[in-house]
Coordinates of all heavy atoms in Angstrom, one line a residue:
S26 N 82.3 84.6 43.6 CA 82.5 83.4 42.9 C 82.3 83.7 41.4 O 81.4 84.4 41.0 CB 81.5 82.3 43.3 OG 81.5 81.2 42.5
A27 N 83.2 83.1 40.6 CA 83.1 83.3 39.1 C 81.7 82.8 38.6 O 81.2 83.3 37.6 CB 84.2 82.6 38.4
G28 N 81.2 81.8 39.2 CA 79.9 81.2 38.7 C 78.7 81.7 39.5 O 77.6 81.2 39.3
G29 N 78.9 82.7 40.4 CA 77.8 83.2 41.3 C 76.8 84.0 40.5 O 76.8 84.1 39.3
T30 N 75.9 84.7 41.3 CA 74.7 85.3 40.7 C 74.7 86.8 41.2 O 75.2 87.2 42.2 CB 73.4 84.6 41.1 OG1 72.3 85.2 40.4 CG2 73.2 84.8 42.6
D31 N 74.0 87.6 40.3 CA 73.7 89.0 40.7 C 72.2 89.2 40.7 O 71.7 90.3 40.7 CB 74.4 90.0 39.8 CG 74.1 89.8 38.4 OD1 73.2 89.0 38.0 OD2 74.7 90.5 37.5
S32 N 71.4 88.1 40.5 CA 70.0 88.2 40.5 C 69.3 86.9 41.0 O 69.6 85.8 40.6 CB 69.5 88.4 39.0 OG 68.1 88.2 38.9
W33 N 68.6 87.1 42.1 CA 67.9 85.9 42.7 C 66.9 85.3 41.8 O 66.8 84.1 41.7 CB 67.2 86.3 44.0 CG 68.1 86.8 45.1 CD1 68.2 88.0 45.7 CD2 69.2 86.0 45.7 NE1 69.2 88.1 46.6 CE2 69.8 86.9 46.6 CE3 69.7 84.7 45.4 CZ2 70.9 86.4 47.4 CZ3 70.8 84.3 46.2 CH2 71.4 85.2 47.2
S34 N 66.1 86.1 41.1 CA 65.1 85.6 40.2 C 65.8 84.8 39.0 O 65.3 83.7 38.7 CB 64.2 86.7 39.6 OG 65.0 87.6 38.9
A35 N 66.9 85.3 38.5 CA 67.6 84.6 37.4 C 68.1 83.2 38.0 O 68.1 82.2 37.2 CB 68.7 85.4 36.9
A36 N 68.6 83.2 39.2 CA 69.2 82.0 39.7 C 68.1 81.0 40.1 O 68.3 79.8 39.9 CB 70.0 82.3 41.0
L37 N 67.0 81.4 40.6 CA 66.0 80.5 41.2 C 64.7 80.3 40.5 O 64.1 79.2 40.6 CB 65.7 81.0 42.7 CG 66.9 81.1 43.6 CD1 66.5 81.8 44.9 CD2 67.5 79.7 43.9
A38 N 64.3 81.2 39.7 CA 63.0 81.1 39.0 C 62.9 79.8 38.1 O 61.8 79.2 38.0 CB 62.8 82.3 38.1
P39 N 64.0 79.4 37.5 CA 63.9 78.2 36.7 C 63.4 76.9 37.4 O 62.9 76.0 36.9 CB 65.3 77.9 36.1 CG 65.9 79.3 36.1 CD 65.4 80.0 37.3
Y40 N 63.6 76.9 38.8 CA 63.2 75.8 39.6 C 61.9 75.9 40.3 O 61.3 74.9 40.7 CB 64.3 75.5 40.6 CG 65.7 75.4 40.0 CD1 66.6 76.5 40.1 CD2 66.1 74.3 39.2 CE1 67.8 76.5 39.5 CE2 67.3 74.3 38.6 CZ 68.2 75.4 38.7 OH 69.4 75.3 38.1
I41 N 61.5 77.2 40.6 CA 60.3 77.4 41.5 C 59.3 78.3 40.9 O 58.2 78.5 41.5 CB 60.8 78.0 42.8 CG1 61.6 79.3 42.6 CG2 61.6 77.0 43.6 CD1 61.9 80.0 43.8
Q42 N 59.5 78.8 39.7 CA 58.5 79.7 39.0 C 58.1 80.8 40.0 O 58.9 81.7 40.4 CB 57.3 78.9 38.5 CG 57.6 78.1 37.3 CD 58.3 76.8 37.7 OE1 57.9 76.1 38.6 NE2 59.4 76.4 37.0
D43 N 56.8 80.8 40.4 CA 56.3 81.9 41.2 C 56.3 81.7 42.7 O 55.7 82.4 43.5 CB 54.8 82.2 40.8 CG 53.9 81.0 41.0 OD1 54.4 79.9 41.2 OD2 52.7 81.2 40.9
R44 N 57.1 80.7 43.1 CA 57.1 80.4 44.6 C 58.3 81.1 45.3 O 58.7 80.7 46.3 CB 57.2 78.9 44.8 CG 55.9 78.1 44.4 CD 56.1 76.6 44.7 NE 56.2 76.4 46.1 CZ 56.7 75.2 46.6 NH1 57.1 74.3 45.8 NH2 56.7 75.1 47.9
L45 N 58.8 82.1 44.7 CA 59.9 82.9 45.2 C 59.4 84.1 46.0 O 58.7 84.9 45.5 CB 60.8 83.3 44.1 CG 62.1 84.2 44.5 CD1 63.0 83.4 45.4 CD2 62.8 84.7 43.2
Q46 N 59.8 84.1 47.3 CA 59.5 85.3 48.1 C 60.8 85.9 48.6 O 61.6 85.2 49.2 CB 58.7 84.9 49.3 CG 58.3 86.0 50.3 CD 57.5 85.5 51.5 OE1 56.9 84.4 51.4 NE2 57.5 86.2 52.6
V47 N 61.0 87.2 48.3 CA 62.2 87.9 48.7 C 61.9 88.9 49.8 O 61.1 89.7 49.7 CB 62.8 88.6 47.5 CG1 64.1 89.4 47.9 CG2 63.1 87.7 46.3
E48 N 62.6 88.7 50.9 CA 62.5 89.6 52.1 C 63.9 90.4 52.2 O 64.9 89.8 51.9 CB 62.3 88.8 53.3 CG 61.0 88.0 53.4 CD 59.8 88.9 53.7 OE1 60.0 90.1 54.0 OE2 58.6 88.5 53.6
H49 N 63.8 91.6 52.7 CA 65.0 92.4 52.8 C 65.2 92.8 54.3 O 64.3 93.2 55.0 CB 64.8 93.7 52.0 CG 64.7 93.5 50.5 ND1 65.9 93.5 49.7 CD2 63.7 93.2 49.7 CE1 65.5 93.2 48.4 NE2 64.2 93.1 48.4
L50 N 66.5 92.6 54.7 CA 66.9 93.1 56.0 C 67.6 94.4 55.8 O 68.5 94.5 54.9 CB 67.8 92.1 56.7 CG 67.1 90.8 57.1 CD1 68.2 89.8 57.6 CD2 66.0 91.0 58.1
T51 N 67.3 95.4 56.5 CA 67.8 96.8 56.2 C 68.6 97.4 57.4 O 69.0 98.5 57.2 CB 66.5 97.7 56.0 OG1 65.7 97.7 57.1 CG2 65.7 97.2 54.8
V52 N 68.7 96.7 58.5 CA 69.5 97.3 59.6 C 70.8 96.5 59.9 O 70.8 95.3 60.0 CB 68.6 97.3 60.9 CG1 69.4 97.9 62.1 CG2 67.3 98.0 60.7
N53 N 71.9 97.3 59.9 CA 73.2 96.7 60.1 C 73.5 96.7 61.6 O 73.6 97.8 62.2 CB 74.3 97.5 59.4 CG 75.6 96.8 59.4 OD1 76.0 96.2 60.4 ND2 76.4 97.0 58.4
Y54 N 73.5 95.5 62.2 CA 73.8 95.4 63.7 C 75.3 95.3 64.0 O 75.6 95.4 65.1 CB 73.0 94.2 64.3 CG 71.5 94.3 64.0 CD1 70.9 93.6 63.0 CD2 70.7 95.2 64.8 CE1 69.6 93.7 62.8 CE2 69.4 95.3 64.6 CZ 68.8 94.5 63.6 OH 67.5 94.6 63.3
R55 N 76.1 95.0 63.0 CA 77.5 94.8 63.2 C 78.4 96.0 63.0 O 79.2 96.4 63.9 CB 78.0 93.6 62.3 CG 79.4 93.4 62.4 CD 79.8 92.2 61.5 NE 79.7 92.4 60.1 CZ 79.1 91.5 59.3 NH1 78.7 90.3 59.7 NH2 79.0 91.8 58.0
T56 N 78.3 96.6 61.8 CA 79.3 97.5 61.4 C 78.9 98.9 61.7 O 77.8 99.4 61.2 CB 79.6 97.4 59.9 OG1 79.7 96.0 59.5 CG2 80.9 98.1 59.5
P57 N 79.7 99.7 62.4 CA 79.3 101.1 62.7 C 79.2 101.9 61.4 O 79.9 101.6 60.5 CB 80.5 101.6 63.6 CG 81.1 100.4 64.2 CD 80.9 99.3 63.1
S58 N 78.4 102.9 61.5 CA 78.2 103.7 60.3 C 79.4 104.4 59.8 O 79.6 104.6 58.6 CB 77.0 104.8 60.5 OG 77.4 105.7 61.5
R59 N 80.3 104.8 60.7 CA 81.6 105.4 60.2 C 82.4 104.5 59.4 O 83.3 105.0 58.6 CB 82.3 106.0 61.5 CG 81.6 107.1 62.2 CD 82.2 107.4 63.5 NE 83.4 108.2 63.4 CZ 84.0 108.8 64.5 NH1 83.4 108.7 65.6 NH2 85.1 109.4 64.3
I60 N 82.3 103.2 59.6 CA 83.0 102.3 58.7 C 82.1 101.9 57.5 O 82.5 101.8 56.4 CB 83.4 101.0 59.5 CG1 84.4 101.4 60.6 CG2 83.9 99.9 58.6 CD1 84.8 100.3 61.5
M61 N 80.8 101.6 57.8 CA 79.9 101.1 56.8 C 79.7 102.1 55.7 O 79.6 101.7 54.5 CB 78.6 100.7 57.4 CG 77.7 99.8 56.5 SD 78.5 98.3 56.1 CE 77.8 97.9 54.5
D62 N 79.6 103.4 56.0 CA 79.5 104.4 55.0 C 80.6 104.4 54.0 O 80.4 104.6 52.8 CB 79.4 105.8 55.6 CG 78.1 106.0 56.4 OD1 77.2 105.1 56.3 OD2 77.9 107.0 57.1
R63 N 81.8 104.1 54.4 CA 83.0 104.0 53.5 C 82.9 102.8 52.6 O 83.2 102.9 51.5 CB 84.2 104.0 54.4 CG 85.5 104.3 53.6 CD 85.6 105.8 53.2 NE 85.7 106.7 54.4 CZ 86.8 106.9 55.1 NH1 88.0 106.4 54.7 NH2 86.8 107.7 56.1
A64 N 82.4 101.7 53.2 CA 82.3 100.5 52.4 C 81.2 100.7 51.3 O 81.4 100.2 50.2 CB 81.9 99.3 53.3
V65 N 80.1 101.3 51.7 CA 79.0 101.5 50.7 C 79.5 102.5 49.6 O 79.2 102.3 48.4 CB 77.8 102.1 51.4 CG1 76.8 102.6 50.4 CG2 77.2 101.1 52.3
A66 N 80.3 103.5 50.0 CA 80.8 104.4 49.0 C 81.7 103.7 48.0 O 81.6 104.0 46.8 CB 81.6 105.6 49.7
M67 N 82.5 102.8 48.5 CA 83.4 102.0 47.6 C 82.5 101.1 46.7 O 82.7 101.1 45.4 CB 84.3 101.2 48.4 CG 85.4 100.4 47.6 SD 84.7 98.9 46.7 CE 84.0 97.9 48.1
A68 N 81.5 100.5 47.2 CA 80.7 99.6 46.5 C 79.9 100.4 45.4 O 79.8 99.9 44.2 CB 79.7 98.9 47.4
Q69 N 79.4 101.5 45.7 CA 78.7 102.3 44.7 C 79.6 102.8 43.6 O 79.2 102.9 42.5 CB 77.9 103.5 45.4 CG 76.8 103.0 46.3 CD 76.2 104.1 47.1 OE1 76.8 105.1 47.4 NE2 74.9 103.9 47.5
A70 N 80.8 103.1 44.0 CA 81.8 103.6 43.0 C 82.1 102.5 42.0 O 82.5 102.8 40.8 CB 83.1 104.1 43.7
H71 N 81.9 101.3 42.4 CA 82.2 100.1 41.5 C 80.9 99.5 41.0 O 80.9 98.4 40.4 CB 83.1 99.1 42.2 CG 84.5 99.6 42.4 ND1 84.8 100.4 43.5 CD2 85.6 99.4 41.7 CE1 86.1 100.6 43.4 NE2 86.6 100.1 42.4
E72 N 79.8 100.2 41.2 CA 78.5 99.9 40.6 C 78.0 98.5 41.1 O 77.4 97.7 40.4 CB 78.5 99.9 39.1 CG 78.8 101.3 38.5 CD 78.8 101.3 37.0 OE1 78.9 100.3 36.4 OE2 78.7 102.5 36.5
L73 N 78.3 98.2 42.4 CA 77.7 96.9 43.0 C 76.3 97.2 43.3 O 75.9 98.3 43.7 CB 78.5 96.5 44.2 CG 79.9 96.1 44.0 CD1 80.6 95.8 45.4 CD2 80.1 95.0 43.1

């Protein structure tokens, strides 16, 4: 989205100050690594 965000703190801190808790999920249950590795390589090449 043209108006979307690339930073959770920038998007949410104005409303909640220090009440922001960020949790990370690290395991991909959907996409096999032979496909996901290619998607990640593309994303990194475009500095996502």
Side-chain angles (χ1 to χ4, degrees):
S26 169
T30 186
D31 59 4
S32 166
W33 295 121
S34 60
L37 299 171
Y40 310 103
I41 56 172
Q42 288 79 46
D43 60 349
R44 294 181 64 199
L45 176 63
Q46 176 181 341
V47 180
E48 297 281 355
H49 293 270
L50 293 175
T51 59
V52 180
N53 186 326
Y54 301 101
R55 174 176 65 223
T56 315
S58 60
R59 293 169 74 169
I60 295 175
M61 194 63 208
D62 289 350
R63 196 73 63 87
V65 170
M67 185 283 303
Q69 292 174 336
H71 291 82
E72 300 182 342
L73 295 180

